[in-house]
Amino acid sequence: LELSMENQPERMPITKKNMKRFLMKSIDGIIDILRTIDNSKRLEMLSLMIEGQKMTFSELLEETGLQKSALSNHLSTLVDKNLLEKQDKGLYQISFDGEELLSNIAHYYLNSKIREQQRLVNLLELIGKKPLNFNTEAVEMHERTGKGIVKIE
């Protein structure tokens, strides 16, 4: 997943001590964001718009299968948290913050699954067995390039 670097603040190196201090002072805000995306329909709505296309209320209604009032509430929450932008009446687009959040979640999840597969390979090697239907190609590609697609069968 690649994001445009436009309008993105430079990331400063952060020590674990500073990270701890920041996290301790930011717990309520972080929990608020996590609660916002702790809903499959909200995450689905953000994912539908990840390529930057704008979607109308009617399109979102059809795609999500939600009732009008539920969709309206979810959209309001996502706009309030700056994860979606309301372009015109009934027209929505994912915000830069929404794209960045989804990108970070996807990277975390992908890397977690790659580490999980590697742990399984290591365990199987310890007992002298070769995994069946295992995508070692993705693990090897990740080790070489830092990128990879995980397929667990």
Side-chain angles (χ1 to χ4, degrees):
L1 296 170
E2 296 290 323
L3 286 178
S4 167
M5 295 305 284
E6 291 177 29
N7 303 322
Q8 184 174 353
E10 279 190 47
R11 289 190 179 184
M12 299 294 289
I14 187 166
T15 65
K16 288 185 179 183
K17 182 178 180 179
N18 288 341
M19 184 184 305
K20 177 184 174 183
R21 188 174 26 236
F22 171 77
L23 290 170
M24 295 305 291
K25 288 183 179 181
S26 305
I27 286 174
D28 291 340
I30 292 168
I31 292 299
D32 195 36
I33 290 294
L34 292 174
R35 283 186 181 134
T36 299
I37 60 167
D38 183 25
N39 181 287
S40 61
K41 289 299 181 179
R42 289 186 198 143
L43 201 51
E44 178 184 349
M45 289 164 36
L46 290 170
S47 298
L48 286 168
M49 293 183 251
I50 192 63
E51 293 177 313
Q53 72 274 23
K54 297 175 183 176
M55 293 186 77
T56 65
F57 186 90
S58 297
E59 290 169 330
L60 287 165
L61 201 59
E62 185 177 323
E63 288 287 332
T64 62
L66 290 168
Q67 299 292 323
K68 287 181 183 181
S69 60
L71 178 61
S72 181
N73 287 334
H74 287 309
L75 287 169
S76 177
T77 299
L78 291 169
V79 169
D80 287 347
K81 300 300 179 196
N82 299 313
L83 298 175
L84 280 185
E85 296 171 350
K86 190 171 183 178
Q87 299 295 310
D88 290 316
K89 185 176 182 176
L91 188 63
Y92 298 87
Q93 183 175 19
I94 194 167
S95 68
F96 178 82
D97 289 344
E99 285 184 26
E100 186 174 41
L101 181 62
L102 284 186
S103 176
N104 287 324
I105 290 169
H107 278 103
Y108 167 80
Y109 186 75
L110 174 63
N111 289 331
S112 172
K113 289 301 174 187
I114 288 171
R115 285 187 299 275
E116 184 179 301
Q117 277 194 349
Q118 189 58 54
R119 284 190 295 270
L120 179 59
V121 167
N122 293 343
L123 287 172
L124 290 170
E125 285 174 356
L126 280 174
I127 62 171
K129 297 207 176 208
K130 183 175 180 168
L132 298 174
N133 296 325
F134 190 76
N135 190 358
T136 56
E137 214 173 275
V139 173
E140 290 166 2
M141 185 171 110
H142 178 70
E143 288 171 350
R144 284 192 315 274
T145 66
K147 298 178 182 175
I149 298 173
V150 176
K151 181 179 178 185
I152 300 173
E153 296 181 1

mmCIF file of all heavy atoms in Angstrom, residues 2-42:
data_model
loop_
_atom_site.group_PDB
_atom_site.id
_atom_site.type_symbol
_atom_site.label_atom_id
_atom_site.label_comp_id
_atom_site.label_asym_id
_atom_site.label_seq_id
_atom_site.Cartn_x
_atom_site.Cartn_y
_atom_site.Cartn_z
ATOM 1 N N GLU A 2 0.667 2.110 -0.923
ATOM 2 C CA GLU A 2 1.447 3.336 -1.009
ATOM 3 C C GLU A 2 0.526 4.527 -0.818
ATOM 4 O O GLU A 2 -0.573 4.568 -1.339
ATOM 5 C CB GLU A 2 2.123 3.441 -2.384
ATOM 6 C CG GLU A 2 3.148 2.355 -2.648
ATOM 7 C CD GLU A 2 4.389 2.512 -1.813
ATOM 8 O OE1 GLU A 2 4.816 3.659 -1.589
ATOM 9 O OE2 GLU A 2 4.936 1.486 -1.381
ATOM 10 N N LEU A 3 0.977 5.494 -0.090
ATOM 11 C CA LEU A 3 0.226 6.732 0.098
ATOM 12 C C LEU A 3 1.046 7.879 -0.430
ATOM 13 O O LEU A 3 2.272 7.848 -0.396
ATOM 14 C CB LEU A 3 -0.065 6.984 1.577
ATOM 15 C CG LEU A 3 -1.124 6.122 2.213
ATOM 16 C CD1 LEU A 3 -1.257 6.473 3.675
ATOM 17 C CD2 LEU A 3 -2.454 6.309 1.534
ATOM 18 N N SER A 4 0.389 8.904 -0.886
ATOM 19 C CA SER A 4 1.075 10.111 -1.320
ATOM 20 C C SER A 4 1.747 10.757 -0.122
ATOM 21 O O SER A 4 1.194 10.800 0.969
ATOM 22 C CB SER A 4 0.056 11.069 -1.935
ATOM 23 O OG SER A 4 0.636 12.339 -2.096
ATOM 24 N N MET A 5 2.936 11.275 -0.346
ATOM 25 C CA MET A 5 3.656 11.928 0.750
ATOM 26 C C MET A 5 3.274 13.401 0.858
ATOM 27 O O MET A 5 3.746 14.104 1.733
ATOM 28 C CB MET A 5 5.163 11.787 0.547
ATOM 29 C CG MET A 5 5.647 10.337 0.631
ATOM 30 S SD MET A 5 5.184 9.523 2.156
ATOM 31 C CE MET A 5 6.352 10.264 3.267
ATOM 32 N N GLU A 6 2.421 13.878 -0.046
ATOM 33 C CA GLU A 6 1.978 15.265 0.016
ATOM 34 C C GLU A 6 1.243 15.523 1.322
ATOM 35 O O GLU A 6 0.474 14.694 1.788
ATOM 36 C CB GLU A 6 1.011 15.575 -1.141
ATOM 37 C CG GLU A 6 1.667 15.574 -2.489
ATOM 38 C CD GLU A 6 0.640 15.823 -3.583
ATOM 39 O OE1 GLU A 6 -0.375 16.507 -3.325
ATOM 40 O OE2 GLU A 6 0.861 15.328 -4.685
ATOM 41 N N ASN A 7 1.465 16.673 1.890
ATOM 42 C CA ASN A 7 0.769 17.110 3.106
ATOM 43 C C ASN A 7 0.980 16.188 4.301
ATOM 44 O O ASN A 7 0.228 16.240 5.248
ATOM 45 C CB ASN A 7 -0.740 17.253 2.849
ATOM 46 C CG ASN A 7 -1.034 18.199 1.730
ATOM 47 O OD1 ASN A 7 -0.371 19.217 1.570
ATOM 48 N ND2 ASN A 7 -2.012 17.858 0.919
ATOM 49 N N GLN A 8 1.970 15.303 4.230
ATOM 50 C CA GLN A 8 2.216 14.413 5.355
ATOM 51 C C GLN A 8 3.389 14.947 6.153
ATOM 52 O O GLN A 8 4.446 15.204 5.601
ATOM 53 C CB GLN A 8 2.528 13.001 4.859
ATOM 54 C CG GLN A 8 2.691 12.014 5.991
ATOM 55 C CD GLN A 8 2.844 10.595 5.488
ATOM 56 O OE1 GLN A 8 2.711 10.328 4.308
ATOM 57 N NE2 GLN A 8 3.145 9.692 6.378
ATOM 58 N N PRO A 9 3.205 15.132 7.454
ATOM 59 C CA PRO A 9 4.319 15.620 8.267
ATOM 60 C C PRO A 9 5.437 14.585 8.297
ATOM 61 O O PRO A 9 5.181 13.390 8.242
ATOM 62 C CB PRO A 9 3.710 15.814 9.652
ATOM 63 C CG PRO A 9 2.476 14.997 9.659
ATOM 64 C CD PRO A 9 2.013 14.866 8.229
ATOM 65 N N GLU A 10 6.686 15.072 8.378
ATOM 66 C CA GLU A 10 7.812 14.158 8.474
ATOM 67 C C GLU A 10 7.757 13.433 9.804
ATOM 68 O O GLU A 10 7.413 14.002 10.819
ATOM 69 C CB GLU A 10 9.128 14.933 8.381
ATOM 70 C CG GLU A 10 9.523 15.276 6.982
ATOM 71 C CD GLU A 10 10.940 15.823 6.932
ATOM 72 O OE1 GLU A 10 11.844 15.226 7.556
ATOM 73 O OE2 GLU A 10 11.115 16.843 6.264
ATOM 74 N N ARG A 11 8.107 12.163 9.764
ATOM 75 C CA ARG A 11 8.125 11.389 10.996
ATOM 76 C C ARG A 11 9.464 11.585 11.669
ATOM 77 O O ARG A 11 10.505 11.384 11.077
ATOM 78 C CB ARG A 11 7.904 9.917 10.708
ATOM 79 C CG ARG A 11 6.493 9.633 10.280
ATOM 80 C CD ARG A 11 6.246 8.167 10.235
ATOM 81 N NE ARG A 11 4.863 7.965 9.830
ATOM 82 C CZ ARG A 11 4.297 6.801 9.769
ATOM 83 N NH1 ARG A 11 4.969 5.726 10.081
ATOM 84 N NH2 ARG A 11 3.058 6.683 9.390
ATOM 85 N N MET A 12 9.383 12.000 12.904
ATOM 86 C CA MET A 12 10.589 12.201 13.689
ATOM 87 C C MET A 12 10.928 10.885 14.378
ATOM 88 O O MET A 12 10.026 10.179 14.822
ATOM 89 C CB MET A 12 10.367 13.292 14.749
ATOM 90 C CG MET A 12 10.027 14.651 14.177
ATOM 91 S SD MET A 12 11.369 15.360 13.239
ATOM 92 C CE MET A 12 12.507 15.738 14.541
ATOM 93 N N PRO A 13 12.226 10.570 14.470
ATOM 94 C CA PRO A 13 12.581 9.373 15.237
ATOM 95 C C PRO A 13 12.099 9.548 16.680
ATOM 96 O O PRO A 13 12.189 10.636 17.237
ATOM 97 C CB PRO A 13 14.107 9.346 15.184
ATOM 98 C CG PRO A 13 14.505 10.324 14.133
ATOM 99 C CD PRO A 13 13.366 11.271 13.951
ATOM 100 N N ILE A 14 11.556 8.492 17.231
ATOM 101 C CA ILE A 14 11.011 8.595 18.576
ATOM 102 C C ILE A 14 11.605 7.481 19.441
ATOM 103 O O ILE A 14 11.685 6.337 19.015
ATOM 104 C CB ILE A 14 9.464 8.522 18.560
ATOM 105 C CG1 ILE A 14 8.888 8.803 19.921
ATOM 106 C CG2 ILE A 14 8.959 7.233 17.994
ATOM 107 C CD1 ILE A 14 7.401 9.077 19.919
ATOM 108 N N THR A 15 12.025 7.849 20.615
ATOM 109 C CA THR A 15 12.561 6.859 21.543
ATOM 110 C C THR A 15 11.391 6.147 22.212
ATOM 111 O O THR A 15 10.264 6.653 22.235
ATOM 112 C CB THR A 15 13.429 7.529 22.626
ATOM 113 O OG1 THR A 15 12.589 8.374 23.423
ATOM 114 C CG2 THR A 15 14.563 8.342 22.011
ATOM 115 N N LYS A 16 11.669 4.984 22.766
ATOM 116 C CA LYS A 16 10.613 4.256 23.468
ATOM 117 C C LYS A 16 10.122 5.026 24.686
ATOM 118 O O LYS A 16 8.944 4.999 25.017
ATOM 119 C CB LYS A 16 11.095 2.862 23.850
ATOM 120 C CG LYS A 16 11.208 1.956 22.644
ATOM 121 C CD LYS A 16 11.573 0.551 23.025
ATOM 122 C CE LYS A 16 11.653 -0.292 21.752
ATOM 123 N NZ LYS A 16 11.946 -1.682 22.060
ATOM 124 N N LYS A 17 11.026 5.758 25.309
ATOM 125 C CA LYS A 17 10.631 6.564 26.466
ATOM 126 C C LYS A 17 9.646 7.657 26.036
ATOM 127 O O LYS A 17 8.619 7.876 26.679
ATOM 128 C CB LYS A 17 11.873 7.189 27.113
ATOM 129 C CG LYS A 17 11.579 8.006 28.343
ATOM 130 C CD LYS A 17 12.860 8.548 28.939
ATOM 131 C CE LYS A 17 12.560 9.367 30.183
ATOM 132 N NZ LYS A 17 13.779 9.889 30.790
ATOM 133 N N ASN A 18 9.971 8.352 24.935
ATOM 134 C CA ASN A 18 9.062 9.388 24.421
ATOM 135 C C ASN A 18 7.755 8.792 23.934
ATOM 136 O O ASN A 18 6.695 9.385 24.099
ATOM 137 C CB ASN A 18 9.734 10.192 23.316
ATOM 138 C CG ASN A 18 10.807 11.110 23.845
ATOM 139 O OD1 ASN A 18 10.840 11.434 25.031
ATOM 140 N ND2 ASN A 18 11.700 11.540 22.971
ATOM 141 N N MET A 19 7.826 7.605 23.297
ATOM 142 C CA MET A 19 6.617 6.950 22.828
ATOM 143 C C MET A 19 5.722 6.607 24.018
ATOM 144 O O MET A 19 4.508 6.826 23.982
ATOM 145 C CB MET A 19 6.933 5.689 22.038
ATOM 146 C CG MET A 19 5.685 5.054 21.450
ATOM 147 S SD MET A 19 5.958 3.484 20.601
ATOM 148 C CE MET A 19 7.191 3.886 19.413
ATOM 149 N N LYS A 20 6.327 6.082 25.072
ATOM 150 C CA LYS A 20 5.556 5.747 26.271
ATOM 151 C C LYS A 20 4.865 6.986 26.821
ATOM 152 O O LYS A 20 3.668 6.957 27.125
ATOM 153 C CB LYS A 20 6.471 5.148 27.339
ATOM 154 C CG LYS A 20 5.764 4.836 28.636
ATOM 155 C CD LYS A 20 6.744 4.330 29.685
ATOM 156 C CE LYS A 20 6.053 4.147 31.027
ATOM 157 N NZ LYS A 20 7.019 3.732 32.062
ATOM 158 N N ARG A 21 5.596 8.088 26.931
ATOM 159 C CA ARG A 21 5.030 9.333 27.458
ATOM 160 C C ARG A 21 3.872 9.800 26.563
ATOM 161 O O ARG A 21 2.806 10.165 27.051
ATOM 162 C CB ARG A 21 6.126 10.396 27.556
ATOM 163 C CG ARG A 21 5.689 11.644 28.261
ATOM 164 C CD ARG A 21 6.776 12.669 28.512
ATOM 165 N NE ARG A 21 7.884 12.606 27.578
ATOM 166 C CZ ARG A 21 9.168 12.449 27.937
ATOM 167 N NH1 ARG A 21 9.490 12.338 29.211
ATOM 168 N NH2 ARG A 21 10.120 12.422 27.041
ATOM 169 N N PHE A 22 4.107 9.767 25.244
ATOM 170 C CA PHE A 22 3.065 10.178 24.301
ATOM 171 C C PHE A 22 1.830 9.291 24.433
ATOM 172 O O PHE A 22 0.702 9.780 24.504
ATOM 173 C CB PHE A 22 3.587 10.137 22.863
ATOM 174 C CG PHE A 22 2.513 10.342 21.851
ATOM 175 C CD1 PHE A 22 2.015 11.614 21.603
ATOM 176 C CD2 PHE A 22 1.970 9.272 21.150
ATOM 177 C CE1 PHE A 22 1.007 11.816 20.675
ATOM 178 C CE2 PHE A 22 0.959 9.460 20.232
ATOM 179 C CZ PHE A 22 0.480 10.731 19.995
ATOM 180 N N LEU A 23 2.031 7.966 24.453
ATOM 181 C CA LEU A 23 0.907 7.040 24.555
ATOM 182 C C LEU A 23 0.126 7.237 25.853
ATOM 183 O O LEU A 23 -1.108 7.217 25.848
ATOM 184 C CB LEU A 23 1.389 5.594 24.433
ATOM 185 C CG LEU A 23 1.880 5.178 23.050
ATOM 186 C CD1 LEU A 23 2.556 3.821 23.114
ATOM 187 C CD2 LEU A 23 0.755 5.188 22.032
ATOM 188 N N MET A 24 0.843 7.428 26.942
ATOM 189 C CA MET A 24 0.168 7.612 28.234
ATOM 190 C C MET A 24 -0.682 8.881 28.244
ATOM 191 O O MET A 24 -1.757 8.904 28.827
ATOM 192 C CB MET A 24 1.186 7.639 29.377
ATOM 193 C CG MET A 24 1.927 6.317 29.572
ATOM 194 S SD MET A 24 0.867 4.883 29.813
ATOM 195 C CE MET A 24 0.194 5.255 31.421
ATOM 196 N N LYS A 25 -0.219 9.930 27.570
ATOM 197 C CA LYS A 25 -0.985 11.179 27.513
ATOM 198 C C LYS A 25 -2.102 11.123 26.470
ATOM 199 O O LYS A 25 -3.008 11.945 26.496
ATOM 200 C CB LYS A 25 -0.051 12.353 27.188
ATOM 201 C CG LYS A 25 0.863 12.716 28.338
ATOM 202 C CD LYS A 25 1.707 13.914 27.996
ATOM 203 C CE LYS A 25 2.595 14.287 29.169
ATOM 204 N NZ LYS A 25 3.425 15.465 28.880
ATOM 205 N N SER A 26 -2.017 10.164 25.543
ATOM 206 C CA SER A 26 -2.950 10.116 24.406
ATOM 207 C C SER A 26 -3.924 8.951 24.469
ATOM 208 O O SER A 26 -4.639 8.709 23.497
ATOM 209 C CB SER A 26 -2.153 10.031 23.103
ATOM 210 O OG SER A 26 -1.236 11.087 23.000
ATOM 211 N N ILE A 27 -3.966 8.240 25.561
ATOM 212 C CA ILE A 27 -4.783 7.025 25.645
ATOM 213 C C ILE A 27 -6.235 7.280 25.251
ATOM 214 O O ILE A 27 -6.801 6.554 24.437
ATOM 215 C CB ILE A 27 -4.698 6.391 27.054
ATOM 216 C CG1 ILE A 27 -3.336 5.723 27.212
ATOM 217 C CG2 ILE A 27 -5.828 5.386 27.283
ATOM 218 C CD1 ILE A 27 -3.072 5.178 28.594
ATOM 219 N N ASP A 28 -6.852 8.319 25.777
ATOM 220 C CA ASP A 28 -8.269 8.567 25.476
ATOM 221 C C ASP A 28 -8.492 8.825 23.990
ATOM 222 O O ASP A 28 -9.441 8.306 23.402
ATOM 223 C CB ASP A 28 -8.791 9.742 26.298
ATOM 224 C CG ASP A 28 -8.891 9.413 27.782
ATOM 225 O OD1 ASP A 28 -8.936 8.209 28.133
ATOM 226 O OD2 ASP A 28 -8.902 10.358 28.593
ATOM 227 N N GLY A 29 -7.624 9.611 23.365
ATOM 228 C CA GLY A 29 -7.759 9.898 21.939
ATOM 229 C C GLY A 29 -7.546 8.668 21.080
ATOM 230 O O GLY A 29 -8.250 8.456 20.085
ATOM 231 N N ILE A 30 -6.576 7.850 21.450
ATOM 232 C CA ILE A 30 -6.296 6.622 20.697
ATOM 233 C C ILE A 30 -7.462 5.650 20.818
ATOM 234 O O ILE A 30 -7.915 5.073 19.826
ATOM 235 C CB ILE A 30 -4.971 5.989 21.167
ATOM 236 C CG1 ILE A 30 -3.792 6.895 20.777
ATOM 237 C CG2 ILE A 30 -4.797 4.586 20.576
ATOM 238 C CD1 ILE A 30 -2.475 6.535 21.413
ATOM 239 N N ILE A 31 -7.976 5.492 22.021
ATOM 240 C CA ILE A 31 -9.124 4.610 22.231
ATOM 241 C C ILE A 31 -10.331 5.112 21.431
ATOM 242 O O ILE A 31 -11.080 4.325 20.852
ATOM 243 C CB ILE A 31 -9.467 4.489 23.735
ATOM 244 C CG1 ILE A 31 -8.363 3.735 24.469
ATOM 245 C CG2 ILE A 31 -10.825 3.833 23.958
ATOM 246 C CD1 ILE A 31 -8.124 2.310 23.991
ATOM 247 N N ASP A 32 -10.503 6.413 21.355
ATOM 248 C CA ASP A 32 -11.599 7.002 20.594
ATOM 249 C C ASP A 32 -11.502 6.619 19.114
ATOM 250 O O ASP A 32 -12.498 6.233 18.498
ATOM 251 C CB ASP A 32 -11.582 8.522 20.773
ATOM 252 C CG ASP A 32 -12.863 9.168 20.325
ATOM 253 O OD1 ASP A 32 -13.947 8.575 20.506
ATOM 254 O OD2 ASP A 32 -12.781 10.282 19.762
ATOM 255 N N ILE A 33 -10.309 6.706 18.554
ATOM 256 C CA ILE A 33 -10.118 6.322 17.143
ATOM 257 C C ILE A 33 -10.355 4.824 16.964
ATOM 258 O O ILE A 33 -11.015 4.392 16.010
ATOM 259 C CB ILE A 33 -8.699 6.701 16.651
ATOM 260 C CG1 ILE A 33 -8.550 8.214 16.537
ATOM 261 C CG2 ILE A 33 -8.371 6.028 15.317
ATOM 262 C CD1 ILE A 33 -9.410 8.854 15.467
ATOM 263 N N LEU A 34 -9.814 4.014 17.871
ATOM 264 C CA LEU A 34 -10.007 2.563 17.768
ATOM 265 C C LEU A 34 -11.483 2.189 17.868
ATOM 266 O O LEU A 34 -11.962 1.310 17.151
ATOM 267 C CB LEU A 34 -9.187 1.837 18.837
ATOM 268 C CG LEU A 34 -7.671 1.908 18.662
ATOM 269 C CD1 LEU A 34 -6.961 1.273 19.851
ATOM 270 C CD2 LEU A 34 -7.228 1.261 17.356
ATOM 271 N N ARG A 35 -12.219 2.876 18.728
ATOM 272 C CA ARG A 35 -13.661 2.612 18.843
ATOM 273 C C ARG A 35 -14.394 3.010 17.555
ATOM 274 O O ARG A 35 -15.386 2.388 17.193
ATOM 275 C CB ARG A 35 -14.247 3.364 20.030
ATOM 276 C CG ARG A 35 -13.937 2.709 21.342
ATOM 277 C CD ARG A 35 -14.644 3.395 22.499
ATOM 278 N NE ARG A 35 -14.296 2.746 23.747
ATOM 279 C CZ ARG A 35 -13.954 3.388 24.842
ATOM 280 N NH1 ARG A 35 -13.957 4.713 24.871
ATOM 281 N NH2 ARG A 35 -13.629 2.728 25.932
ATOM 282 N N THR A 36 -13.898 4.046 16.909
ATOM 283 C CA THR A 36 -14.522 4.496 15.662
ATOM 284 C C THR A 36 -14.431 3.424 14.590
ATOM 285 O O THR A 36 -15.379 3.192 13.855
ATOM 286 C CB THR A 36 -13.860 5.799 15.161
ATOM 287 O OG1 THR A 36 -14.032 6.811 16.153
ATOM 288 C CG2 THR A 36 -14.460 6.268 13.858
ATOM 289 N N ILE A 37 -13.290 2.761 14.494
ATOM 290 C CA ILE A 37 -13.139 1.746 13.448
ATOM 291 C C ILE A 37 -13.445 0.336 13.945
ATOM 292 O O ILE A 37 -13.329 -0.625 13.199
ATOM 293 C CB ILE A 37 -11.740 1.793 12.806
ATOM 294 C CG1 ILE A 37 -10.656 1.548 13.841
ATOM 295 C CG2 ILE A 37 -11.544 3.101 12.063
ATOM 296 C CD1 ILE A 37 -9.307 1.273 13.247
ATOM 297 N N ASP A 38 -13.842 0.222 15.213
ATOM 298 C CA ASP A 38 -14.210 -1.070 15.777
ATOM 299 C C ASP A 38 -15.650 -1.410 15.394
ATOM 300 O O ASP A 38 -16.482 -1.742 16.232
ATOM 301 C CB ASP A 38 -14.046 -1.060 17.298
ATOM 302 C CG ASP A 38 -14.348 -2.415 17.923
ATOM 303 O OD1 ASP A 38 -14.228 -3.435 17.227
ATOM 304 O OD2 ASP A 38 -14.716 -2.445 19.112
ATOM 305 N N ASN A 39 -15.932 -1.277 14.120
ATOM 306 C CA ASN A 39 -17.254 -1.560 13.586
ATOM 307 C C ASN A 39 -17.053 -2.011 12.147
ATOM 308 O O ASN A 39 -16.476 -1.280 11.346
ATOM 309 C CB ASN A 39 -18.128 -0.299 13.650
ATOM 310 C CG ASN A 39 -19.506 -0.553 13.119
ATOM 311 O OD1 ASN A 39 -19.685 -0.696 11.912
ATOM 312 N ND2 ASN A 39 -20.486 -0.594 13.997
ATOM 313 N N SER A 40 -17.505 -3.200 11.827
ATOM 314 C CA SER A 40 -17.234 -3.756 10.501
ATOM 315 C C SER A 40 -17.814 -2.899 9.374
ATOM 316 O O SER A 40 -17.195 -2.771 8.315
ATOM 317 C CB SER A 40 -17.766 -5.192 10.402
ATOM 318 O OG SER A 40 -19.165 -5.220 10.600
ATOM 319 N N LYS A 41 -18.948 -2.281 9.582
ATOM 320 C CA LYS A 41 -19.550 -1.463 8.523
ATOM 321 C C LYS A 41 -18.749 -0.180 8.292
ATOM 322 O O LYS A 41 -18.572 0.259 7.167
ATOM 323 C CB LYS A 41 -21.011 -1.127 8.840
ATOM 324 C CG LYS A 41 -21.928 -2.325 8.723
ATOM 325 C CD LYS A 41 -21.926 -2.903 7.309
ATOM 326 C CE LYS A 41 -22.865 -4.077 7.183
ATOM 327 N NZ LYS A 41 -22.890 -4.635 5.829
ATOM 328 N N ARG A 42 -18.229 0.429 9.356
ATOM 329 C CA ARG A 42 -17.410 1.634 9.183
ATOM 330 C C ARG A 42 -16.115 1.301 8.472
ATOM 331 O O ARG A 42 -15.682 2.025 7.571
ATOM 332 C CB ARG A 42 -17.126 2.288 10.530
ATOM 333 C CG ARG A 42 -18.336 2.937 11.146
ATOM 334 C CD ARG A 42 -17.968 3.688 12.406
ATOM 335 N NE ARG A 42 -19.163 3.936 13.177
ATOM 336 C CZ ARG A 42 -19.230 3.899 14.493
ATOM 337 N NH1 ARG A 42 -18.155 3.656 15.210
ATOM 338 N NH2 ARG A 42 -20.357 4.127 15.116
#
